[in-house]
Amino acid sequence: NAGVTQTPKFRVLKTGQSMTLLCAQDMNHEYMYWYRQDPGMGLRLIHYSVGEGTTAKGEVPDGYNVSRLKKQNFLLGLESAAPSQTSVYFCASSYTTSMRNTEAFFGQGTRLTVV
Amino acid sequence: KQEVTQIPAALSVPEGENLVLNCSFTDSAIYNLQWFRQDPGKGLTSLLLIQSSQREQTSGRLNASLDKSSGRSTLYIAASQPGDSATYLCAAQQAGTALIFGKGTTLSVSS
């Protein structure tokens, strides 16, 4: 079982460039999440999805867009990258709260640097 | 809005000591609470999940408790080892939303 896979693992962008981070899970989870982790700030929620075709904003959504066209994939887009978006990005997934085991599983992270 | 707080932010103990990490949350209407471990430069590893109907969960030397009424969870680590050195994160989840994380407790166990 691959679990949660993030692509790419590392990326350097120039200010103003765009990119898409891909998160794929093979556990048939309904919920998927994108977080960013910065020193001293902990993990902050960017966007999340409670099912295919649905998305919702988290704590720090500005500058990011997401899409969940397929249940197994959750894409995070940066339309015009800024140095403030330099961070480590984590994707996670879990079952809905109607299931017995709602444990969340995380990807290995994407280290993004915007210069 | 749910807020999760972890105290202390950092903790140093000698090997063999038993220790407790604290996690508090402001909204008691949670569905579950999860404890994670993160090593430097690495991803998150799930340690224990406590469903809202449960009071505690155990895995090896780890025991996590949940008291929804007081908005608190604790992670007890018995007989600490240098390999336990890491950052420990707790996260609370409410129905229909995402996990909200505390900022973590960085544990250092010296031999």
Side-chain angles (χ1 to χ4, degrees), chain A residues 4 6 35-37 42-44 88-92 103-109, chain B residues 6 34-47 86-91 99-102 104:
Chain A
V4 180
Q6 292 182 230
Y35 295 88
R36 60 177 290 174
Q37 186 175 38
L43 277 100
R44 292 182 292 170
V88 180
Y89 292 84
F90 287 101
C91 174
E103 182 179 2
F105 294 86
F106 278 75
Q108 73 277 34
Chain B
Q6 291 186 247
Q34 198 164 351
W35 283 92
F36 296 87
R37 168 181 172 143
Q38 186 176 32
D39 293 295
K42 302 295 184 181
L44 280 73
T45 300
S46 178
L47 295 174
T87 296
Y88 292 81
L89 298 156
C90 71
L99 294 91
I100 302 300
F101 281 84

Side-chain angles (χ1 to χ4, degrees), chain A residues 2-7 9 22-26 34 91 106-108:
Chain A
V4 180
T5 303
Q6 292 182 230
T7 308
K9 293 183 175 58
L22 170 64
C23 178
Q25 54 95 3
D26 61 3
W34 276 107
C91 174
F106 278 75
Q108 73 277 34

Side-chain angles (χ1 to χ4, degrees), chain B residues 8-75:
Chain B
L11 181 64
S12 294
V13 301
E15 182 177 4
E17 191 164 302
N18 302 325
L19 59 101
V20 174
L21 306 181
N22 297 295
C23 173
S24 62
F25 44 94
T26 55
D27 189 337
S28 63
I30 63 170
Y31 190 80
N32 66 42
L33 189 132
Q34 198 164 351
W35 283 92
F36 296 87
R37 168 181 172 143
Q38 186 176 32
D39 293 295
K42 302 295 184 181
L44 280 73
T45 300
S46 178
L47 295 174
L48 289 165
L49 168 73
I50 312 176
Q51 301 281 82
S52 62
S53 58
Q54 299 171 327
R55 296 282 293 182
E56 64 179 317
Q57 283 288 324
T58 298
S59 175
R61 294 182 293 108
L62 305 180
N63 175 277
S65 68
L66 175 64
D67 184 344
K68 286 177 56 180
S69 62
S70 67
R72 293 180 182 178
S73 175
T74 62
L75 179 66

Side-chain angles (χ1 to χ4, degrees), chain A residues 53-100:
Chain A
T54 70
T55 63
K57 294 180 180 180
E59 180 185 358
V60 289
D62 294 343
Y64 305 96
N65 57 75
V66 289
S67 64
R68 183 101 181 266
L69 299 179
K70 294 182 179 181
K71 187 176 183 179
Q72 64 268 32
N73 295 336
F74 195 27
L75 278 63
L76 178 70
L78 287 74
E79 290 186 348
S80 180
S84 61
Q85 294 178 304
T86 294
S87 186
V88 180
Y89 292 84
F90 287 101
C91 174
S93 69
S94 68
Y95 281 118
T96 66
T97 54
S98 62
M99 299 293 289
R100 182 180 177 184

